[in-house]
């Protein structure tokens, strides 16, 4: 029987740390979209904070939500250097 020199790796399949051990069968995802829908928190800070204090304390309504949406979209458009066309229902 041949002896391995000291420090030599053997091709034993029982030693999982061996570089010659066979790779285990990869686990398949139940749904191929799972890696793309992993819940996570993302925080993006770009530009100066938007002041929403003029609308603080007002009762939530469809009109108020539209005004706030248009204000936020206008600010984002300014940051991106594009023109924002507000919705038809915007009130001034």
């Amino acid at each position: 029987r041949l002896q391995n020199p000291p420090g030599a790796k053997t091709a034993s399949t029982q030693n999982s740390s061996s570089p010659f051990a066979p790779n285990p069968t990869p686990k398949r995802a139940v749904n191929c979209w799972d890696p793309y829908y992993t819940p996570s928190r993302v925080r993006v800070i770009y530009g100066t904070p938007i002041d929403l204090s003029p609308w603080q304390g007002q009762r939530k309504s469809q009109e108020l939500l539209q005004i706030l949406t248009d204000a936020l979209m206008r600010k984002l458009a300014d940051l991106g250097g594009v023109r924002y066309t507000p919705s038809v229902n915007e009130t001034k």
Side-chain angles (χ1 to χ4, degrees):
R1 184 166 193 212
L2 294 173
Q3 295 272 333
N4 289 331
K9 298 281 185 177
T10 62
S12 169
T13 58
Q14 302 212 352
N15 182 1
S16 62
S17 64
S18 170
F20 302 107
N23 291 333
T25 306
K27 294 180 182 176
R28 301 187 91 204
V30 175
N31 183 342
C32 66
W33 296 105
D34 282 348
Y36 302 105
Y37 292 109
T38 304
S40 59
R41 293 183 184 266
V42 176
R43 183 175 180 181
V44 177
I45 300 174
Y46 185 78
T48 58
I50 300 171
D51 182 21
L52 300 177
S53 62
W55 299 285
Q56 187 174 5
Q58 291 188 25
R59 194 176 179 121
K60 192 187 316 182
S61 67
Q62 189 65 37
E63 181 183 1
L64 177 62
L65 293 176
Q66 189 63 59
I67 291 169
L68 288 172
T69 299
D70 288 334
L72 293 171
M73 294 303 292
R74 188 177 293 108
K75 180 70 172 180
L76 290 171
D78 289 345
L79 288 171
V82 296
R83 191 175 134 223
Y84 172 67
T85 305
S87 68
V88 177
N89 297 331
E90 181 179 10
T91 58
K92 294 183 178 185

